[in-house]
Amino acid sequence: MTLTVDAVIIGAGPAGLSAAVEIARTGLSAAVIDEYPYPGGRLLGQLFEDPYAPEQDKVWDGKKLARRLEEEARNLNVKIFCGVTAWSASGKWRIHLRGSSEKYIDAKAILLATGAVERAVPLPGWTLPGVVSIGAAQVFTNVHRVSIGQRVMVVGVDPLAISVALEMQRAGINVVGVALPPVHPINSGLGLPIDGMRRLASVSSLATSSFHRKMGPLAAGKLSKLAIHALRFNLLHLEGIPIYLRKAVIAIKGTDVVEAVILQRVSINGIPNGPSEHVAVDSVCLSGGLYPLVDFAQVVGCPLVRIPELGGVVPLHGPDLSTPVDSLFVAGNIVGIESGKVAMAQGRLAGVAISRFLGKRTSLTLEEAEQNVQKTRDHSSFKFLPNIDIGNAKMNELWESHSAISTFMSMS
């Protein structure tokens, strides 16, 4: 069977659902496809408090928000396919499905909101039972209310690792520490203390202590080198969790399951230069950061560009989230690793752009929707990537160059 809609959206996360709602409000028909059994994407594992948010919005409950977006989309007659794989595309556009009674979805426009995936952090012992990714730990803790262990070590000092460590601690799990991974070419600087300090500062707003919130930006700026030298004394704690910016987990130990980690002091360049210690744990969370999931963009022939400030390889796109491929749009973490709030704002922008592309009037202009994305970005409680604005500026330059070349070629 074939379902025909105006717009098809691949990815039922915050960007995809927000776009579907915006599109459906104009009277257009939309379908959303996701491999996961439930809509919501990474929202499903998010639960934290934002001290800077208005009182009514201080608690960010991603699971509740996902349910609200799903309900709003269904009330607008959006078709949501979960546990279904969009494995290929042909024409403009026929999406090939697996796992559904519908074999194809035909649409006039397509939005890729496929999100991001976790980067691996390989180190000795990482295949032992009891080692999980930080994203899995977040889902176990906040979605299933299951403790991944009694004594947990988090490896990786980055916004996702810190936020999940705090979530686990608040859920009653004993997080014995957050430490650096070993320096390794595949880790892209994740093992360097000074980079860890800057990433830690980006989530200082999540701290309950006003002192830590104020000191975070200072420690990442002019005082960074001084702070890194001082932290060899392990003075830094966040809500009782030791943050080791001068120690790295160099190995995970155990016979049949995780039993301990080996923690070793490192120099400011991340090189082991001091004694090691044996820390008893029964679970280890590995956090290597996220990178955009661009596989389907490749399938449909969208040009890709490498912009490290956005998280790696991303689809070439304009300010309105359109791409060089006619009627193809992108939104969410596929265009750069950012918060769920930013992804929702991007989803709304993509919904406006698609609706206008298909000839419908929208409550927001494109300019207003673009400004809303930037405003949301500017007021985000933390940033996964500190130089996201630089990355977006690079993308805009590439887009303008592409547009200029395309215009020249069409006139030739």
Side-chain angles (χ1 to χ4, degrees):
M1 294 179 62
T2 301
L3 173 68
T4 301
V5 293
D6 293 307
V8 62
I9 299 158
I10 300 178
L17 290 176
S18 298
V21 168
E22 192 67 30
I23 291 167
R25 281 176 178 162
T26 68
L28 294 168
S29 57
V32 185
I33 308 161
D34 201 294
E35 290 183 326
Y36 199 69
Y38 314 103
R42 291 192 176 274
L43 283 178
L44 296 175
Q46 295 176 359
L47 180 62
F48 61 88
E49 184 174 327
D50 182 357
Y52 291 140
E55 190 63 37
Q56 69 273 15
D57 298 323
K58 280 190 180 296
V59 177
W60 176 266
D61 188 334
K63 191 175 181 180
K64 185 182 296 184
L65 182 57
R67 285 198 298 267
R68 193 188 80 194
L69 284 171
E70 178 191 3
E71 182 178 348
E72 191 172 1
R74 291 191 188 279
N75 287 341
L76 290 166
N77 296 317
V78 173
K79 306 295 182 183
I80 300 178
F81 297 83
C82 286
V84 174
T85 301
W87 63 272
S88 188
S90 57
K92 293 286 181 69
W93 293 95
R94 168 161 284 190
I95 306 302
H96 302 244
L97 305 181
R98 181 173 293 134
S100 168
S101 58
E102 307 283 356
K103 298 301 180 184
Y104 308 100
I105 295 180
D106 289 345
K108 301 170 187 173
I110 179 173
L111 170 65
L112 300 185
T114 47
V117 291
E118 293 187 67
R119 187 175 282 110
V121 184
L123 70 158
W126 72 313
T127 59
L128 279 169
V131 180
V132 300
S133 72
I134 198 71
Q138 187 178 48
V139 171
F140 275 118
T141 303
N142 295 334
V143 178
H144 304 299
R145 300 294 195 264
V146 172
S147 171
I148 64 167
Q150 300 302 311
R151 287 177 56 83
V152 180
M153 175 66 78
V154 176
V155 181
V157 182
D158 60 75
L160 182 60
I162 296 297
S163 61
V164 176
L166 290 171
E167 290 164 10
M168 289 192 290
Q169 184 89 340
R170 292 164 185 165
I173 299 171
N174 182 12
V175 181
V176 301
V178 179
L180 297 168
V183 170
H184 190 279
I186 199 174
N187 289 341
S188 302
L190 293 176
L192 297 176
I194 196 156
D195 286 343
M197 173 64 78
R198 290 168 181 151
R199 288 189 292 270
L200 180 61
S202 70
V203 291
S204 59
S205 62
L206 297 181
T208 54
S209 163
S210 60
F211 173 77
H212 284 128
R213 290 201 297 271
K214 292 175 182 176
M215 284 303 295
L218 288 175
K222 294 179 180 179
L223 301 181
S224 59
K225 289 187 178 179
L226 177 63
I228 286 297
H229 281 289
L231 288 177
R232 68 183 184 275
F233 300 113
N234 299 328
L235 300 175
L236 184 59
H237 290 70
L238 196 57
E239 293 192 25
I241 303 173
I243 311 295
Y244 299 109
L245 286 172
R246 290 294 300 274
K247 290 185 178 182
V249 173
I250 61 171
I252 303 169
K253 295 294 184 180
T255 304
D256 298 313
V257 296
V258 170
E259 298 172 5
V261 296
I262 304 301
L263 199 60
Q264 185 166 24
R265 183 172 304 227
V266 297
S267 70
I268 61 171
N269 296 318
I271 306 302
N273 69 346
S276 62
E277 57 186 297
H278 184 281
V279 181
V281 297
D282 58 4
S283 184
V284 176
C285 299
L286 301 180
S287 182
L290 304 170
Y291 64 91
L293 183 58
V294 298
D295 299 37
F296 211 91
Q298 290 178 292
V299 169
V300 297
C302 183
L304 303 177
V305 293
R306 181 179 294 278
I307 302 179
E309 293 86 353
L310 297 180
V313 175
V314 294
L316 178 63
H317 63 276
D320 65 348
L321 302 177
S322 62
T323 73
V325 179
D326 183 52
S327 66
L328 172 68
F329 297 77
V330 288
N333 279 348
I334 189 176
V335 300
I337 309 303
E338 299 196 68
S339 69
K341 291 182 180 180
V342 174
M344 289 172 63
Q346 288 179 333
R348 193 171 187 195
L349 168 58
V352 169
I354 290 171
S355 298
R356 287 175 169 266
F357 173 79
L358 295 176
K360 291 288 185 176
R361 295 186 64 180
T362 55
S363 58
L364 287 178
T365 66
L366 275 173
E367 184 179 28
E368 289 171 335
E370 290 173 18
Q371 289 173 349
N372 185 50
V373 172
Q374 188 58 49
K375 182 179 178 180
T376 304
R377 179 178 293 127
D378 292 341
H379 290 85
S380 184
S381 57
F382 60 90
K383 294 184 178 181
F384 286 94
L385 298 171
N387 298 318
I388 196 78
D389 288 327
I390 295 174
N392 286 320
K394 288 183 178 181
M395 177 60 74
N396 288 338
E397 289 177 5
L398 290 171
W399 179 256
E400 289 173 5
S401 297
H402 166 80
S403 299
I405 293 172
S406 297
T407 302
F408 175 79
M409 293 297 291
S410 66
M411 296 173 62
S412 300

